[in-house]
Structures are given as C-alpha cells and as structure tokens.
Amino acid sequence: MIDIQRAPKSKLSETNFDNLVFGQVFSDHMMECDYKNGKWQTPVIKPYGPLSLEPSARVFHYGQAVFEGMKAYKDENDKIWLFRPDENFNRINRSSKRLAIPEFPKEYFFEALEELLKIDKAWIKKGFGNSLYLRPFVIATEAGVSASPANEYKFMIICSPAQAYYSGEVRVKFSEKYSRAADGGVGFAKAAGNYGAQFYPTNLAKEEGYQQIIWTDANTHDYLEEAGTMNIFFRIGDKLVTAPTNDRILDGVTRKSVLSLAEEFNIETEVRRVSVQEIIEAAEKGELKEMFGSGTATVINPIVGFGYKDHKFDLPNMEDSYARSFKDKLMKIQYNQAEDKFGWRYEVK
Ligand SMILES: Cc1ncc(COP(=O)(O)O)c(C=O)c1O
C-alpha cells in the first residue's frame, strides 16, 4: 500500500549527533502523499530532498498550510515509541478542516509514519532527551493564483534528530498590543500563518530582553492565553492554573497530559481564565511560585521572570518544582522508563 524508494546512501555517517541544532538536519527519508482528482494517492517514502513546485502554487499566495510536531523515542531495548500520536493525527485534521484542506486518512498516516520510522530507525538515538522530531505538514500545491481553496495538496512527514533542548533562562513579556489569534479565527489550528505572524512582535520583545511573548486575549489584552509554541501554566500558592482551550488556543498534547498528571500527583488544578492583574498581584504577594510552558519540543519549559508594561518580576527557584516533576514523569513515560497508566505510549513495531 505504501511505495518505498530507498535512499542510495545514508547521511548518518556525516551527521554529528553530539552537536545538533534543532531542526537543521533531516533523516534519509521522507513521506510524501499527493491529493489530486478528489483523493489522496498512495503514500510514498522516498529520499529526503527538495520539492519542485510551480511559483503559482496556492500555498505561496494564500497560506493554505498546516503542520504538526511530534517525537519518536528509543528505549534501552531499541524499541521505538510515540507519545499520544492519535492526538496529533486528529489535530492535523482539525487544522486542515479549518483551512479548507481535505482531511488525511488515519490508516495512511499511521502506516506511512511507522514505515518511515522503521526505515530511519538508526536516526533515533537512545538516551534520555534524544529523539527524532517528526514534522507532518500539508501544503496546497495546485498552480494558479485565484483566491480559492486548491484542488491539489501534498501531505508530508520529515524527520529531524533532536537532543535534549536547553532553552536557557526564559523571561516572557505579556503582550499588551499584538495578538496571536482572534475569536472565530485559526488560533486553535496549527496553521503556518499563526507562526509567521508572531515573529515580528517576538523580535520586538527580544530587543527588550525577553525570549518569548505570552499572548493575551485579542479583545482586552487582560487575560493570559499561551506562548508562541507552548501552553502556559501558573502555580499560585500550591494550585496549578491554566487557561481553557478555545478557538484561539492550541489544544496542546503536553498540556492535557500535565493536567492528567496533576490529578495523579494530587495537585489542585483550575482550568479557567487567568488575568494579567491576578498574576501581577500574586507575584507582588509572593504567591506566584512558578510559571512554565508545555509543548512537545521542550516538554516543560520553566519561566524565570515576566514583564508587563512597567512591571518586571523574577520568579523564585522552587525546591519542590512542579515543572521538574511534570517533566521528569512525562519523559519517563515517553522513554518507557515508567508505568504508562494512561495508555499514552504507542509502540512502533
Ligand atoms: C501555539 C502552540 N501552543 C501550544 C503548543 C504545545 O502543543 P503540544 O503540547 O501538542 O506540542 C504548540 C506546539 O505544538 C503550539 O504551537
């Protein structure tokens, strides 16, 4: 059912796995599946390489493009694991639907992904923190610049070896002017344009000494929503608080896993709107103990400080950090080192 064309020569021996820059190196193979004549054609696994597209291809003009981010892990016995891949599959189809892109069949996704991982399994290195980052994406390839949904698409998966990601100290700026997403818009989708639109405001925040922006609601800028590629959690006292997902916020796989683990750890959790004012007041009273982001790339990313208008706060360094406990437990589940109570692990056989 899948057409496989093997790379004549592997790039493995030329790859320095001790010095990987995230998302720069790609494995030997990729998956490509075309949509034409009203249906998805046979998926093909072929050597990783450039595409040839018409300059008028719709994706370049109207941004009909969605993507996913997931990882494959190898345990000490060379078994390969994915983490909740159904969630990513369902989400890329939710994203596609919003961008008027035809949904991708589940059996194609899993068969092609597993075949690709088996062919490129040597690219998944053992060791806590090592993984193969997987980037499924869909683009509108049909030629012609009329502003209408394309009739032709490509669904692809490319794979990039990744090491444990140390982002350094992260200070965030609460957005007071720019917005990432609006009501009724595409914020909940992993639409390429959502990310392109964040670069300019993020560059401005970087000039002020921050690494990332925490996006606030577009109407009032009073409520904290999510970071650029992470959902966001606050620990106020010993309570864990995060915003509910809606049509502006991505329904993160890591976020929902943290919420399940919080229950297991008996941590009191509130999923509700979180106002900028509340967080500033909690910080002033010394009740804001932690702030962290959650996402596939970094798993859990502790935030050491934040700023909003003239306010600037540093967060304490907690001995009993929630961020550390969540990260440790999630990674142990991902690497098959801890019991998988929730059935999140998926073995690639
Ligand atoms: C905007 C946004 N929020 C949150 C996340 C975290 O989602 P996940 O935990 O599924 O990686 C991502 C990354 O996928 C993202 O792009």
Side-chain angles (χ1 to χ4, degrees):
M1 167 121 140
I2 292 170
D3 185 5
I4 298 178
Q5 302 160 13
R6 283 185 172 267
K9 186 177 174 297
S10 173
K11 295 174 292 189
L12 265 174
S13 60
E14 307 148 23
T15 306
N16 180 358
F17 281 84
D18 296 325
N19 195 13
L20 293 167
V21 180
F22 181 77
Q24 288 294 314
V25 173
F26 291 89
S27 67
D28 289 327
H29 297 88
M30 62 183 188
M31 188 281 256
E32 189 175 327
C33 182
D34 288 327
Y35 180 90
K36 57 182 179 207
N37 304 324
K39 75 188 245 294
W40 290 102
Q41 310 293 309
T42 304
V44 184
I45 289 172
K46 57 180 353 187
Y48 178 91
L51 299 176
S52 174
L53 292 177
E54 290 272 344
S56 65
R58 296 282 214 287
V59 62
F60 300 134
H61 304 272
Y62 307 114
Q64 253 190 309
V66 298
F67 67 99
E68 265 306 320
M70 48 204 294
K71 283 177 173 173
Y73 312 91
K74 196 177 259 178
D75 71 16
E76 286 310 309
N77 298 315
D78 284 328
K79 285 186 178 169
I80 301 168
W81 302 93
L82 295 168
F83 183 72
R84 311 187 75 175
D86 269 327
E87 296 284 343
N88 300 93
F89 170 75
N90 291 330
R91 192 167 66 189
I92 201 165
N93 274 345
R94 284 202 301 278
S95 300
S96 286
K97 188 169 178 195
R98 180 62 181 81
L99 274 282
I101 296 172
E103 291 174 37
F104 197 62
K106 187 167 186 173
E107 61 283 9
Y108 280 18
F109 180 80
F110 279 93
E111 263 193 69
L113 179 58
E114 291 188 44
E115 220 39 71
L116 181 59
L117 288 173
K118 280 188 264 183
I119 287 188
D120 278 349
K121 65 172 181 283
W123 289 83
I124 317 172
K125 295 295 177 196
K126 280 197 276 208
F128 213 48
N130 293 328
S131 64
L132 189 63
Y133 181 80
L134 310 170
R135 170 53 63 88
F137 64 100
V138 199
I139 51 171
T141 50
E142 190 188 4
V145 294
S146 81
S148 57
N151 291 308
E152 292 174 11
Y153 297 87
K154 258 185 209 309
F155 190 112
M156 302 192 64
I157 305 176
I158 54 176
C159 316
S160 176
Q163 286 172 296
Y165 190 93
Y166 296 107
S167 44
E169 293 208 326
V170 176
R171 283 198 159 66
V172 296
K173 180 184 164 108
F174 293 170
S175 185
E176 56 194 82
K177 175 176 178 197
Y178 293 100
S179 303
R180 169 187 182 275
D183 292 340
V186 297
F188 72 90
K190 271 184 91 77
N194 285 342
Y195 299 81
Q198 295 185 73
F199 297 155
Y200 173 69
T202 306
N203 280 347
L204 296 181
K206 283 184 178 163
E207 284 170 17
E208 292 179 59
Y210 299 102
Q211 282 70 45
Q212 292 204 26
I213 292 181
I214 304 298
W215 299 100
T216 45
D217 72 290
N219 297 329
T220 64
H221 295 293
D222 286 339
Y223 292 93
L224 294 158
E225 302 213 308
E226 67 178 326
T229 56
M230 295 187 295
N231 295 107
I232 180 102
F233 286 85
F234 305 89
R235 175 178 173 184
I236 305 171
D238 284 330
K239 202 184 289 172
L240 189 66
V241 188
T242 192
T245 54
N246 54 32
D247 58 1
R248 299 183 304 272
I249 300 182
L250 195 85
D251 185 6
V253 181
T254 322
R255 173 187 176 278
K256 63 173 70 158
S257 307
V258 165
L259 289 173
S260 302
L261 287 179
E263 208 179 317
E264 186 187 322
F265 293 171
N266 286 320
I267 293 172
E268 192 187 340
T269 306
E270 284 179 4
V271 177
R272 59 164 172 81
R273 297 213 295 177
V274 187
S275 75
V276 172
Q277 203 49 42
E278 172 185 2
I279 294 303
I280 290 174
E281 281 171 23
E284 281 170 347
K285 287 194 222 146
E287 289 171 0
L288 183 69
K289 294 189 181 170
E290 284 182 70
M291 200 190 287
F292 58 87
S294 70
T296 298
T298 56
V299 192
I300 300 290
N301 201 336
I303 292 166
V304 301
F306 71 91
Y308 179 70
K309 296 187 178 163
D310 299 332
H311 303 272
K312 275 199 170 67
F313 291 95
D314 284 323
L315 288 164
N317 190 358
M318 299 298 293
E319 279 277 321
D320 70 330
S321 151
Y322 283 1
R324 262 199 305 277
S325 327
F326 287 128
K327 182 163 189 168
D328 186 63
K329 187 62 184 269
L330 277 170
M331 287 182 68
K332 283 190 171 140
I333 297 173
Q334 288 165 341
Y335 287 83
N336 192 23
Q337 293 180 9
E339 188 197 348
D340 178 24
K341 262 205 209 163
F342 299 98
W344 289 337
R345 268 195 304 262
Y346 178 102
E347 189 178 353
V348 178
K349 289 188 196 153

PDB file of all heavy atoms in Angstrom, residues 181-192:
ATOM      1  N   ALA A 181      -4.135  35.523  17.966  1.00  0.00           N
ATOM      2  CA  ALA A 181      -5.332  34.862  17.462  1.00  0.00           C
ATOM      3  C   ALA A 181      -6.567  35.648  17.877  1.00  0.00           C
ATOM      4  O   ALA A 181      -6.540  36.348  18.889  1.00  0.00           O
ATOM      5  CB  ALA A 181      -5.404  33.453  18.043  1.00  0.00           C
ATOM      6  N   ALA A 182      -7.606  35.525  17.088  1.00  0.00           N
ATOM      7  CA  ALA A 182      -8.846  36.238  17.403  1.00  0.00           C
ATOM      8  C   ALA A 182     -10.000  35.247  17.498  1.00  0.00           C
ATOM      9  O   ALA A 182      -9.913  34.132  16.977  1.00  0.00           O
ATOM     10  CB  ALA A 182      -9.131  37.263  16.316  1.00  0.00           C
ATOM     11  N   ASP A 183     -11.080  35.687  18.144  1.00  0.00           N
ATOM     12  CA  ASP A 183     -12.284  34.849  18.208  1.00  0.00           C
ATOM     13  C   ASP A 183     -12.720  34.488  16.796  1.00  0.00           C
ATOM     14  O   ASP A 183     -12.744  35.353  15.916  1.00  0.00           O
ATOM     15  CB  ASP A 183     -13.436  35.631  18.858  1.00  0.00           C
ATOM     16  CG  ASP A 183     -13.161  35.893  20.315  1.00  0.00           C
ATOM     17  OD1 ASP A 183     -12.330  35.186  20.912  1.00  0.00           O
ATOM     18  OD2 ASP A 183     -13.784  36.830  20.869  1.00  0.00           O
ATOM     19  N   GLY A 184     -13.058  33.239  16.609  1.00  0.00           N
ATOM     20  CA  GLY A 184     -13.533  32.812  15.288  1.00  0.00           C
ATOM     21  C   GLY A 184     -12.416  32.615  14.281  1.00  0.00           C
ATOM     22  O   GLY A 184     -12.665  32.288  13.121  1.00  0.00           O
ATOM     23  N   GLY A 185     -11.179  32.823  14.710  1.00  0.00           N
ATOM     24  CA  GLY A 185     -10.037  32.725  13.793  1.00  0.00           C
ATOM     25  C   GLY A 185      -9.429  31.339  13.768  1.00  0.00           C
ATOM     26  O   GLY A 185     -10.131  30.330  13.937  1.00  0.00           O
ATOM     27  N   VAL A 186      -8.105  31.281  13.590  1.00  0.00           N
ATOM     28  CA  VAL A 186      -7.437  30.000  13.377  1.00  0.00           C
ATOM     29  C   VAL A 186      -6.437  29.656  14.485  1.00  0.00           C
ATOM     30  O   VAL A 186      -5.586  28.783  14.313  1.00  0.00           O
ATOM     31  CB  VAL A 186      -6.733  29.950  11.995  1.00  0.00           C
ATOM     32  CG1 VAL A 186      -7.740  30.078  10.882  1.00  0.00           C
ATOM     33  CG2 VAL A 186      -5.676  31.041  11.860  1.00  0.00           C
ATOM     34  N   GLY A 187      -6.553  30.353  15.624  1.00  0.00           N
ATOM     35  CA  GLY A 187      -5.591  30.142  16.716  1.00  0.00           C
ATOM     36  C   GLY A 187      -5.511  28.700  17.182  1.00  0.00           C
ATOM     37  O   GLY A 187      -4.445  28.215  17.558  1.00  0.00           O
ATOM     38  N   PHE A 188      -6.633  27.993  17.149  1.00  0.00           N
ATOM     39  CA  PHE A 188      -6.663  26.597  17.631  1.00  0.00           C
ATOM     40  C   PHE A 188      -5.991  25.648  16.641  1.00  0.00           C
ATOM     41  O   PHE A 188      -5.704  24.496  16.974  1.00  0.00           O
ATOM     42  CB  PHE A 188      -8.111  26.146  17.867  1.00  0.00           C
ATOM     43  CG  PHE A 188      -8.870  25.943  16.586  1.00  0.00           C
ATOM     44  CD1 PHE A 188      -8.882  24.704  15.956  1.00  0.00           C
ATOM     45  CD2 PHE A 188      -9.551  27.002  15.981  1.00  0.00           C
ATOM     46  CE1 PHE A 188      -9.573  24.514  14.758  1.00  0.00           C
ATOM     47  CE2 PHE A 188     -10.226  26.817  14.785  1.00  0.00           C
ATOM     48  CZ  PHE A 188     -10.238  25.581  14.169  1.00  0.00           C
ATOM     49  N   ALA A 189      -5.776  26.121  15.414  1.00  0.00           N
ATOM     50  CA  ALA A 189      -5.187  25.273  14.370  1.00  0.00           C
ATOM     51  C   ALA A 189      -3.680  25.497  14.331  1.00  0.00           C
ATOM     52  O   ALA A 189      -3.204  26.576  14.666  1.00  0.00           O
ATOM     53  CB  ALA A 189      -5.801  25.618  13.018  1.00  0.00           C
ATOM     54  N   LYS A 190      -2.947  24.458  13.925  1.00  0.00           N
ATOM     55  CA  LYS A 190      -1.518  24.677  13.698  1.00  0.00           C
ATOM     56  C   LYS A 190      -1.365  25.118  12.249  1.00  0.00           C
ATOM     57  O   LYS A 190      -0.886  24.373  11.396  1.00  0.00           O
ATOM     58  CB  LYS A 190      -0.713  23.406  14.009  1.00  0.00           C
ATOM     59  CG  LYS A 190      -0.291  23.357  15.471  1.00  0.00           C
ATOM     60  CD  LYS A 190       0.585  22.176  15.792  1.00  0.00           C
ATOM     61  CE  LYS A 190       2.043  22.485  15.643  1.00  0.00           C
ATOM     62  NZ  LYS A 190       2.613  23.262  16.745  1.00  0.00           N
ATOM     63  N   ALA A 191      -1.832  26.325  12.001  1.00  0.00           N
ATOM     64  CA  ALA A 191      -1.772  26.923  10.671  1.00  0.00           C
ATOM     65  C   ALA A 191      -0.457  27.682  10.568  1.00  0.00           C
ATOM     66  O   ALA A 191      -0.101  28.429  11.492  1.00  0.00           O
ATOM     67  CB  ALA A 191      -2.948  27.868  10.477  1.00  0.00           C
ATOM     68  N   ALA A 192       0.262  27.498   9.456  1.00  0.00           N
ATOM     69  CA  ALA A 192       1.591  28.101   9.310  1.00  0.00           C
ATOM     70  C   ALA A 192       1.566  29.603   9.596  1.00  0.00           C
ATOM     71  O   ALA A 192       2.458  30.134  10.272  1.00  0.00           O
ATOM     72  CB  ALA A 192       2.123  27.832   7.905  1.00  0.00           C
TER      73      ALA A 192
END
